[in-house]
Amino acid sequence: ESFEFMALCSRLGVKILNWLATMYGGRLRFTTAMLFAVGLVSMFTIGGLSGVSHAFAPADTQQTDTYYIVAHFHYVLFGGALLAFFGGFYFWWPKIFGYFLNERWGKVHFWLTLIGFNLTFGPMHILGLQGMSRRYFTYSANQGFGFWNMVASIGAFTIGVGLVLFCLNIWRSYRAFKKDPYEVPADPWDARSLEWMIPSPAPEYNFAEIPEIHELDDFWHRKYGHDENGRLVRIADTEDIVQ
């Protein structure tokens, strides 16, 4: 148990504090991709904290093979992985396909996913503490599991609606682009990594010339430097760097 406790604490300490420190002091723009990124951090934190209780033998004995475990690892996997996937879709979509996904629809998709996610897996903590076992597809009415399972079912359908909206967003954004084509800049997010140095969508040959990398986040340092007071200043336009 002590090993699991230390592993969970290191996960929270290293990952969560690292992510928060990355955002600290920045000029955050809450685009759809950023909303999913912040949602990832918050949901992953909840998942990690709910897992800390497994490190204590009495609590672990009560929670083992109950829906509490299901709730815990879905907060970690769904909150820590699937939200990141969606954020990545919205972030890299213009680089891959040459057009943006609709931001308004994307934000509705985010809130439906976040609310549905918590409605689905939050009640499972309560169900687990009430004694509902894993891998059971049914239960008797007198066990008292009906209300929270109904809430979880509503949450699951809410997630489903969000997924349908995501698919509609792809279709509508594509239709809008075909009707009124526009050029996506190579670096629409003012990003840090090298793929934003090439045109959008990325050409088949990738870089016309292999870039020489001199430091971490090299593209960012080509665009920004520091003045004599240590403040961040722009030293080059993206258009002058993009190949």
Side-chain angles (χ1 to χ4, degrees):
E1 287 85 359
S2 60
F3 174 79
E4 183 176 359
F5 178 75
M6 293 181 66
L8 288 166
C9 288
S10 65
R11 178 196 302 167
L12 290 170
V14 176
K15 290 186 172 70
I16 304 302
L17 294 180
N18 187 0
W19 292 333
L20 292 177
T22 300
M23 292 187 287
Y24 176 76
R27 296 180 181 178
L28 302 183
R29 291 185 296 158
F30 287 99
T31 61
T32 303
M34 188 65 192
L35 288 175
F36 274 106
V38 174
L40 177 156
V41 176
S42 57
M43 295 301 102
F44 191 83
T45 303
I46 294 173
L49 291 174
S50 68
V52 171
S53 61
H54 306 329
F56 302 97
D60 187 51
T61 301
Q62 179 192 11
Q63 296 161 10
T64 297
D65 282 334
T66 68
Y67 259 54
Y68 191 97
I69 302 297
V70 178
H72 161 64
F73 69 65
H74 276 86
Y75 264 88
V76 174
L77 295 177
F78 192 113
L82 197 60
L83 292 181
F85 283 139
F86 281 129
F89 280 133
Y90 285 94
F91 184 72
W92 276 291
W93 197 272
K95 179 59 64 179
I96 299 171
F97 298 107
Y99 65 93
F100 291 98
L101 294 177
N102 185 279
E103 277 288 307
R104 181 178 298 177
W105 281 57
K107 290 176 180 177
V108 175
H109 168 216
F110 164 76
W111 286 111
L112 284 173
T113 302
L114 189 72
I115 293 170
F117 166 72
N118 283 283
L119 281 177
T120 302
F121 301 111
M124 291 183 184
H125 290 99
I126 302 172
L127 289 167
L129 294 176
Q130 289 178 343
M132 184 172 177
S133 299
R134 297 172 62 187
R135 304 187 181 95
Y136 279 72
F137 74 95
T138 188
Y139 46 87
S140 59
N142 60 5
Q143 289 180 287
F145 301 145
F147 174 75
W148 290 113
N149 272 288
M150 177 59 72
V151 174
S153 297
I154 294 171
F157 278 106
T158 305
I159 294 174
V161 172
L163 286 171
V164 171
L165 191 68
F166 175 62
C167 294
L168 287 174
N169 191 3
I170 294 174
W171 179 70
R172 286 176 57 92
S173 299
Y174 177 75
R175 289 284 300 274
F177 173 70
K178 284 299 183 181
K179 184 178 180 179
D180 185 18
Y182 55 87
E183 183 177 350
V184 175
D187 182 30
W189 309 118
D190 195 16
R192 308 177 74 93
S193 47
L194 293 178
E195 69 270 22
W196 302 102
M197 289 177 59
I198 58 178
S200 300
E204 293 182 4
Y205 54 82
N206 223 346
F207 286 92
E209 298 179 5
I210 298 177
E212 293 185 9
I213 307 304
H214 301 284
E215 53 188 318
L216 186 66
D217 294 328
D218 192 77
F219 180 41
W220 177 262
H221 291 290
R222 297 188 190 198
K223 296 186 292 182
Y224 291 95
H226 295 88
D227 61 15
E228 61 276 6
N229 297 318
R231 292 176 297 187
L232 195 68
V233 293
R234 189 97 187 195
I235 58 176
D237 294 328
T238 303
E239 293 75 16
D240 299 329
I241 305 170
V242 171
Q243 294 197 16

